[in-house]
């Protein structure tokens, strides 16, 4: 196994970052000194170990069911545990479920290689206008208790959301914690429906509200708290920074992106169409993966710069359907990876595919643990100005000729495609 120490080293396939570990447990608030790490080459090849410990929560793998339909009731959450998911985040609950009224249809899909509504092509985008749980809170809490009774060693996280009312947040925390959940995720990011009541993204887009609500929550909670960030904001690091400063153990990013899926070119009505009308909703699936990676990279850089001495965690979300997708989030510094739409498309058995593919990736690079490669790719992001400088210096040092065009004047009409291809790095 890899050895651990507080040093930062470069060697072999990686340049590892120091990221936080433990903070708070189900038995109350505890503070544990952060321990850095460095990796030495193993003497013998070992089977990759996918287990992780995040904020004191031990999981058999980093794959977490993201809050949404895959965690909407006892039956489906039990299925997730049975299939082997590392943790489950239940669908968001609030005190008064009677205010939550969903509509049907509430999903729409985008396929590659065709106009909206085409039955051909791979599904690359998914939109939903679904709200939080419409089931009574007491029903959900009973099911949480039953799940923890049957799976005492598995991690169950409650996603919670309330209106702008300190008393309501405190009551919700008390009642949810009594059910035995292992952690809380604060939904500051649902982009549709709930913001009309100053909930969801209405909080996550207002740093003053993030600070105030996180203050209420962290003064009350006795289990780890993650704040789920909205991508529908100019600078996602601002609310993430505030959440961590006000006591949250971690942040999760990203929730869905506000979108209009499209217009049906036959009926001329928007999708998903409910009685001839629609409303903007949250966009997810494979198409958002690059955007999610960018947001997670931004947050990870901020955490490394400002919270390196804190025990904070990062959960990556967005378009995960393969082990490689998950590896990318971890390489940027994520401790865990959440999947929601992927489960809706491929089923709960997806975790087996994700685990196999992630292990294959680890074997390829001789990694034996998640910590061996977490954050390895983060140092390789810089500014465009720095890229220009680095390339100039590299050319001078190796006295080599650059591939591709040197300036805009070199483009030609006849060879435009070939000239473009000459400057693509990932052939």
């Amino acid at each position: 196994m890899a050895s651990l120490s507080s040093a930062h080293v470069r060697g072999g396939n990686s340049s590892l970052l120091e990221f936080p570990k433990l903070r708070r447990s189900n038995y109350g608030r505890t503070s544990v000194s952060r321990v850095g790490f460095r990796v030495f080459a193993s003497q013998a090849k070992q089977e990759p170990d996918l287990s992780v410990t995040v904020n004191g929560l031990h999981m058999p793998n980093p794959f977490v069911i993201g809050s949404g339909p895959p965690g909407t009731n006892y039956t489906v959450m039990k299925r997730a545990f049975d299939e082997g998911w590392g943790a489950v985040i239940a669908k968001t609950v609030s005190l008064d479920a009677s205010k939550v009224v969903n509509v049907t249809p509430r999903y729409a899909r985008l396929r590659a290689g065709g106009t909206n509504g085409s039955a051909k092509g791979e599904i690359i985008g998914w939109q939903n206008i679904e709200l939080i749980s419409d089931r009574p809170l007491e029903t959900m809490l009973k099911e949480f208790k039953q799940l923890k009774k049957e799976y005492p060693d598995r991690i169950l996280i409650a996603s919670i959301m309330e209106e702008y009312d300190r008393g309501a947040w405190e009551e919700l925390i008390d009642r949810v914690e009594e059910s035995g959940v292992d952690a809380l995720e604060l939904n500051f990011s649902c982009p549709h429906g709930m913001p009309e009541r100053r909930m969801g993204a209405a909080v996550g887009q207002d740093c003053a509200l993030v600070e105030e609500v996180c203050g209420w929550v962290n003064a009350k909670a006795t289990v780890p708290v993650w704040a789920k960030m909205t991508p529908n904001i100019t600078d996602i690091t601002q609310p993430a920074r505030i959440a961590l400063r006000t006591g949250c153990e971690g942040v999760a990013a990203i929730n869905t992106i506000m979108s209009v899926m499209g217009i049906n070119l036959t009926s001329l009505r928007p999708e998903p169409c409910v009685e001839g009308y629609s409303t903007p909703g949250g966009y997810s699936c494979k198409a958002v993966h690059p955007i999610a990676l960018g947001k997670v990279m931004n947050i990870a850089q901020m955490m490394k710069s400002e919270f390196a001495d804190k025990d904070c965690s990062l959960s990556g979300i967005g378009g995960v359907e393969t082990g490689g997708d998950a590896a990318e989030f971890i390489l940027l510094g994520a401790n865990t990876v959440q999947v929601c739409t992927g489960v809706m498309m491929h089923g709960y058995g997806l975790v087996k595919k994700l685990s196999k593919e992630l292990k294959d990736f680890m074997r390829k690079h001789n990694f034996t643990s998640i910590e061996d490669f977490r954050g390895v790719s983060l140092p390789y992001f810089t500014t465009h100005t720095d890229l220009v400088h680095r390339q100039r210096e590299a050319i001078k040092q190796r006295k080599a000729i650059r591939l591709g065009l040197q300036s805009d004047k070199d483009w030609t009409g006849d060879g435009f495609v070939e000239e473009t291809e000459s400057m693509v790095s990932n052939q």
Side-chain angles (χ1 to χ4, degrees), residues 386-396 398 402:
D386 185 56
L387 291 179
V388 172
H389 172 74
R390 286 175 180 274
Q391 189 160 73
R392 284 175 177 168
E393 290 301 312
I395 291 170
K396 291 179 182 178
R398 63 180 182 254
R402 284 176 291 181

Side-chain angles (χ1 to χ4, degrees), residues 118-140:
S118 171
K120 299 179 180 180
E122 178 188 9
I123 297 172
I124 59 171
W126 188 285
Q127 189 202 43
N128 84 89
I129 55 172
E130 187 163 350
L131 303 181
I132 64 176
S133 178
D134 56 12
R135 305 177 73 219
L137 176 62
E138 195 56 41
T139 299
M140 291 291 282

